[in-house]
Amino acid sequence: MNAPKQDFLPAVQGLRGIAALSVLIVHLYDMPLLAGFMAPIWPWLGSTINMGGHGVELFFMISGFLIPASLVRHRSVAKFFYDRCLRILPVFVILHLTLFTIGPIVGYKFFKGIDVGTYIQLFFVNLAFLPDALGLPIGQQNAWTLSYEWAFYVLFAATFVAAARWRNWMLALPLIALALAGIWFRPIAAYFLVGLLFSAVDMPIRLRGWSGLLAGAVCGIAMYLSIEYLHPFVGLVPGLLLFGMVLAQNSGIAAALSAPSLQYLGKISYSLYLVHPFALFPLQMIGANLAGRGVDLWLLSAAFAVLGFVLSLIAGGISYELFEVRLRRFLDAAFRRRLFRTPDGAGHLA
């Protein structure tokens, strides 16, 4: 397996930003709609906006590309999972505790009509990223994708150890079969394979200038449309072409994704992705209240979109600085030396 020549690729960082922004835009439309104060718009426009949820497939492609190199670089499965936990858990756990503490107080719909036993069950099932697998409600609106991420980490690490380190294909083949079965039942998980392919084979697609930017945009749109209206497997083809262009240095789409604004969005993308529903919830409640008092829906929708976008960026930036940087640094200093004999192997977090 070939590790990427660079530990950091600006275009991949920018693609992260696009993925998070894509999901945010969906919720700037859906949350007012669900609360009853979204101004009426053309149905085709609403459907187009809702396709932005397929930004999660972009995240899956990125993980498929970066995780293999991360595991190889760590040279230790334990250190790999330690750094995965440091990458994923601080933001998630803080939001999880916030949701299960404040949610029942403010009347969040997730907690309506449940007893103490169900509350405890949902608390631990959501904490373990298992609600989707067990068919139970998901607390954090976007955290369902983390179940896919962790399943990928575990299956890939186990398969890698069995095949590459132990050279035991009798053990590796059932793991591969399990992964393929998971993809058959959850087709969007196939997008991890796009990244895996490019992590193993160096085949960038170099289209420079405006033609490259246009080709990348067309492939991205075709991927979203295919997933939404055809089948996720069909979207793999334009998704593969798009990712090949993203990985080509100085291609048109790679240059656009390297813009400073998208670099910042990519940097805070994980926090932005998880935190923005929390930032939007108070605005949703206020908007529903004002709509009930007869305030114009167009004014409420526009105000929600603008204020929600700004507050989401602020919340994402604060979460990144507090939890992804400072809290993670504190936890790493507290636990790495205790868990490992030497502080080496601190991988570059994907």
Side-chain angles (χ1 to χ4, degrees):
M1 179 178 297
N2 298 320
K5 296 179 181 180
Q6 293 178 264
D7 293 330
F8 176 79
L9 297 172
V12 172
Q13 183 84 309
L15 190 64
R16 273 199 185 110
I18 290 291
L21 184 62
S22 179
V23 175
L24 169 60
I25 290 172
V26 172
H27 294 144
L28 291 175
Y29 167 72
D30 274 354
M31 291 182 73
L33 184 66
L34 292 173
F37 65 91
M38 182 67 206
I41 61 174
W42 295 299
W44 67 264
L45 181 56
S47 299
T48 301
I49 294 172
N50 274 328
M51 281 196 296
H54 296 304
V56 299
E57 282 86 350
L58 298 179
F59 280 127
F60 291 166
M61 290 195 294
I62 293 169
S63 289
F65 176 69
L66 295 177
I67 291 304
S70 177
L71 181 57
V72 171
R73 185 168 54 241
H74 277 83
R75 301 188 301 277
S76 164
V77 172
K79 290 177 180 177
F80 166 77
F81 276 106
Y82 171 81
D83 277 330
R84 285 292 89 200
C85 287
L86 280 182
R87 176 73 171 93
I88 299 296
L89 293 183
V91 177
F92 172 80
V93 171
I94 292 293
L95 294 177
H96 179 80
L97 295 176
T98 300
L99 175 67
F100 277 82
T101 301
I102 300 177
I105 298 173
V106 300
Y108 183 54
K109 60 183 179 180
F110 178 78
F111 297 101
K112 290 183 178 179
I114 67 172
D115 54 25
V116 174
T118 304
Y119 174 92
I120 294 173
Q121 178 192 40
L122 291 175
F123 179 90
F124 287 105
V125 167
N126 276 269
L127 186 61
F129 304 106
L130 291 175
D132 187 56
L134 299 178
L136 292 173
I138 297 172
Q140 292 189 46
Q141 190 168 349
N142 293 333
W144 64 272
T145 60
L146 297 181
S147 299
Y148 287 74
E149 291 280 347
W150 279 108
F152 172 65
Y153 301 158
V154 171
L155 276 173
F156 179 80
T159 305
F160 176 82
V161 169
R165 299 221 175 137
W166 296 349
R167 301 190 183 281
N168 186 341
W169 284 99
M170 293 297 291
L171 179 58
L173 287 176
L175 293 171
I176 294 173
L178 178 61
L180 293 176
I183 289 172
W184 182 257
F185 287 102
R186 295 288 191 272
I188 63 171
Y191 286 82
F192 287 108
L193 298 181
V194 174
L196 277 175
L197 175 63
F198 282 101
S199 74
V201 181
D202 185 23
M203 51 177 189
I205 301 172
R206 294 182 173 85
L207 291 175
R208 299 179 183 274
W210 285 103
S211 61
L213 176 58
L214 179 61
V218 168
C219 286
I221 293 170
M223 184 187 109
Y224 276 47
L225 288 170
S226 297
I227 297 170
E228 183 72 16
Y229 294 110
L230 298 175
H231 193 279
F233 290 165
V234 178
L236 290 172
V237 175
L240 187 146
L241 295 174
L242 168 64
F243 207 66
M245 287 183 267
V246 169
L247 296 180
Q249 292 186 359
N250 300 320
S251 71
I253 190 68
L257 291 171
S258 300
S261 58
L262 289 179
Q263 292 300 292
Y264 178 73
L265 286 177
K267 183 176 72 171
I268 69 168
S269 59
Y270 176 60
S271 278
L272 178 62
Y273 176 73
L274 284 186
V275 169
H276 79 258
F278 289 80
L280 295 178
F281 180 72
L283 293 180
Q284 184 187 41
M285 300 296 290
I286 294 170
N289 182 271
L290 293 176
R293 298 184 180 186
V295 177
D296 182 73
L297 295 184
W298 284 103
L299 177 62
L300 290 177
S301 300
F304 182 88
V306 174
L307 292 176
F309 182 79
V310 173
L311 286 177
S312 294
L313 291 183
I314 293 173
I318 292 173
S319 172
Y320 173 79
E321 292 295 337
L322 288 182
F323 306 138
E324 293 194 60
V325 177
R326 289 170 174 78
L327 179 57
R328 190 184 74 192
R329 188 180 297 152
F330 170 79
L331 294 172
D332 194 31
F335 291 108
R336 187 178 294 273
R337 289 179 181 271
R338 298 181 183 182
L339 294 174
F340 308 109
R341 292 183 178 180
T342 58
D344 67 334
H348 302 280
L349 301 179

